[in-house]
Amino acid sequence: MNTLSYKTISANKETVNKEWVVVDATDQVVGRLASKVAKLIRGKYKPNFTPHVDCGDNVIIINAKKAYFTGKKETDKVYTRYTGYPGGQRFNTPEELRKRPDGMDKIIRHAVKGMLPKGRLGRQLIDNLYIYDGTEHKHEAQKPKAIDINQYK
């Protein structure tokens, strides 16, 4: 009997092919951008995707200041944080966060982090995200390739 043997190939830390990509956030909706970036970081667009391994790309987001929210989310959405002290609950809207120097970084990072797996792997994966307000970034040595985020689903 002549049969073929098929084996499921599972990626591991040594066999994974990680790349550096640049995503331009100009005129992008924050949530839609975040979902596509989360898939890139996770590696879901790759044929050798393995759920329990960091097989995604390192993503650099430039022009983060130019991303926007739809509807009234800019003024009505509320981010809650807690200082750890009694009465230390703090609330911010995206409008208030944008005025801070690292505000857009916090907004996009919060959105992407919520779309990654919870646990050890998710905490590892969020370190593969780099966000910059302008067009300049410090990762030229890695030779990142610019991709059009609109071509991904």
Side-chain angles (χ1 to χ4, degrees):
M1 190 164 162
N2 192 4
T3 61
L4 290 172
S5 173
Y6 294 102
K7 292 183 181 176
T8 301
I9 297 171
S10 185
N12 59 26
K13 203 183 290 186
E14 290 78 34
T15 62
V16 80
N17 181 22
K18 292 180 74 69
E19 297 175 346
W20 285 79
V21 296
V22 175
V23 173
D24 191 358
T26 304
D27 298 329
Q28 297 289 329
V29 179
V30 173
R32 293 173 193 165
L33 171 73
S35 66
K36 292 172 185 175
V37 167
K39 282 185 184 179
L40 279 170
I41 290 174
R42 185 93 196 271
K44 287 241 177 170
Y45 292 117
K46 293 188 174 186
N48 62 345
F49 169 68
T50 307
H52 64 279
V53 178
D54 176 8
C55 55
D57 297 332
N58 294 298
V59 178
I60 303 162
I61 298 178
I62 58 172
N63 293 322
K65 283 258 191 225
K66 296 180 182 173
Y68 67 96
F69 285 98
T70 57
K72 294 185 185 176
K73 292 185 201 85
E74 191 76 32
T75 54
D76 293 356
K77 185 176 176 69
V78 176
Y79 292 103
T80 306
R81 62 190 173 87
Y82 181 58
T83 63
Y85 289 96
Q89 201 171 23
R90 303 287 185 256
F91 305 98
N92 287 316
T93 63
E95 190 177 43
E96 294 166 356
L97 283 176
R98 268 187 199 273
K99 295 173 185 167
R100 294 185 185 175
D102 63 342
M104 215 49 209
D105 178 285
K106 287 187 188 305
I107 290 171
I108 294 176
R109 193 170 297 276
H110 182 271
V112 172
K113 186 179 179 185
M115 297 176 190
L116 291 174
K118 312 308 181 255
R120 246 188 324 186
L121 180 63
R123 289 190 294 272
Q124 258 179 349
L125 291 173
I126 197 68
D127 292 336
N128 296 336
L129 177 64
Y130 304 89
I131 303 169
Y132 297 97
D133 286 336
T135 56
E136 298 298 316
H137 60 86
K138 60 181 181 178
H139 304 284
E140 291 299 330
Q142 281 76 24
K143 297 186 182 89
K145 67 175 188 185
I147 61 167
D148 180 23
I149 199 70
N150 294 325
Q151 73 182 4
Y152 290 96
K153 265 196 152 181

